[in-house]
Amino acid sequence: ETGVTQSPTHLIKTRGQQVTLRCSSQSGHNTVSWYQQALGQGPQFIFQYYREEENGRGNFPPRFSGLQFPNYSSELNVNALELDDSALYLCASSLGLAEDTQYFGPGTRLTVL
Amino acid sequence: AQKVTQAQTEISVVEKEDVTLDCVYETRDTTYYLFWYKQPPSGELVFLIRRNSFDEQNEISGRYSWNFQKSTSSFNFTITASQVVDSAVYFCALSEAPHRGTYKYIFGTGTRLKVLA
């Protein structure tokens, strides 16, 4: 158990819709990172939040956005869903430094039809 | 640029055999961190080990051992006397020093290990 939880577990949406995925980090962890893992691939970095501010972003379009809240929860929002957005979305929390281990949640599997 | 290569897509072994999973990385930084994660069918990434670039000592934890060689930019993972429960996808990941302030991991594509009874 990593202490990182995500909801929902599974989600089915249709193309063009919007979706919000949620994550609850370990208490005391100031950094949350979000990753997209397509089937058969390694996780790809979407963005990172540190103390409620975006701290870095991967190669994802602006329709991927996020929020981090003071209570160690965070959200990943995806607008105008596309079929290729179907993937496992993982959040990871860490204390905040590169040497700190990121602890991952169980993920949300999103299917876009 | 950062890159992590796991050339072995899938490995099958019979229970009790030893197996080594290869990881080769590329980075321009002198300070960096390497990780191994296990991803069972449930999907959650399970942390196995973290190693910083200044610590080249090999590590053993039960049936698991890791061989870090900076000269060849490799961080290989060996499971001794494999068990069926070791069946999973294993990912190697690289994190560079926080000089840019973003602490993202670069993951390899993973190696699927199947341990047959």
Side-chain angles (χ1 to χ4, degrees), chain A residues 98-101, chain B residues 23 25 27 30-37 47-61 64-70 74-76 92-97 105:
Chain A
E99 63 266 31
D100 291 325
T101 299
Chain B
C23 173
Y25 61 91
T27 177
T30 56
T31 302
Y32 51 90
Y33 306 88
L34 296 165
F35 302 81
W36 275 95
Y37 283 85
F47 167 73
L48 296 177
I49 191 172
R50 178 187 71 210
R51 174 67 75 227
N52 73 58
S53 54
F54 298 109
D55 182 3
E56 287 195 71
Q57 281 191 344
N58 292 328
E59 181 159 337
I60 298 175
S61 176
Y64 295 170
S65 62
W66 290 270
N67 184 340
F68 176 32
Q69 292 195 344
K70 287 179 74 171
S74 64
F75 187 42
N76 296 336
C92 181
L94 165 70
S95 175
E96 291 181 332
Y105 284 13

Side-chain angles (χ1 to χ4, degrees), chain A residues 2 33 35 37 40-43 45 48 55-57 88 90 96-106, chain B residues 33 35 37 39 42-45 47 50 91 95-98 100-110:
Chain A
T2 64
S33 304
Y35 293 82
Q37 186 179 16
Q41 301 295 316
F45 176 72
Q48 181 181 86
N55 189 47
R57 191 176 187 91
L88 180 67
L90 297 161
L97 301 176
E99 63 266 31
D100 291 325
T101 299
Q102 293 190 0
Y103 293 94
F104 285 80
Chain B
Y33 306 88
F35 302 81
Y37 283 85
Q39 188 174 42
S42 61
E44 185 167 344
L45 284 165
F47 167 73
R50 178 187 71 210
F91 289 97
S95 175
E96 291 181 332
R100 296 189 191 89
T102 301
Y103 316 128
K104 65 178 179 179
Y105 284 13
I106 301 298
F107 282 87
T109 51

Side-chain angles (χ1 to χ4, degrees), chain A residues 76-89:
Chain A
L76 163 65
N77 299 289
V78 187
N79 294 323
L81 284 167
E82 301 177 0
L83 298 180
D84 285 349
D85 295 334
S86 295
L88 180 67
Y89 288 85

Side-chain angles (χ1 to χ4, degrees), chain A residues 31-67:
Chain A
T31 301
V32 63
S33 304
W34 285 89
Y35 293 82
Q36 180 195 67
Q37 186 179 16
L39 203 59
Q41 301 295 316
Q44 299 292 315
F45 176 72
I46 302 174
F47 46 56
Q48 181 181 86
Y49 279 79
Y50 176 70
R51 293 186 172 176
E52 302 162 50
E53 295 205 2
E54 188 176 294
N55 189 47
R57 191 176 187 91
N59 191 26
F60 281 81
R63 59 189 185 84
F64 286 78
S65 63
L67 287 171

Side-chain angles (χ1 to χ4, degrees), chain A residues 3-59:
Chain A
V4 180
T5 60
Q6 291 186 244
S7 63
T9 306
H10 295 88
L11 200 53
I12 299 175
K13 291 285 189 179
T14 56
R15 196 170 47 183
Q17 286 189 311
Q18 178 267 342
V19 68
T20 297
L21 310 181
R22 293 181 171 82
C23 171
S24 180
S25 301
Q26 280 194 28
S27 180
H29 281 191
N30 295 310
T31 301
V32 63
S33 304
W34 285 89
Y35 293 82
Q36 180 195 67
Q37 186 179 16
L39 203 59
Q41 301 295 316
Q44 299 292 315
F45 176 72
I46 302 174
F47 46 56
Q48 181 181 86
Y49 279 79
Y50 176 70
R51 293 186 172 176
E52 302 162 50
E53 295 205 2
E54 188 176 294
N55 189 47
R57 191 176 187 91
N59 191 26

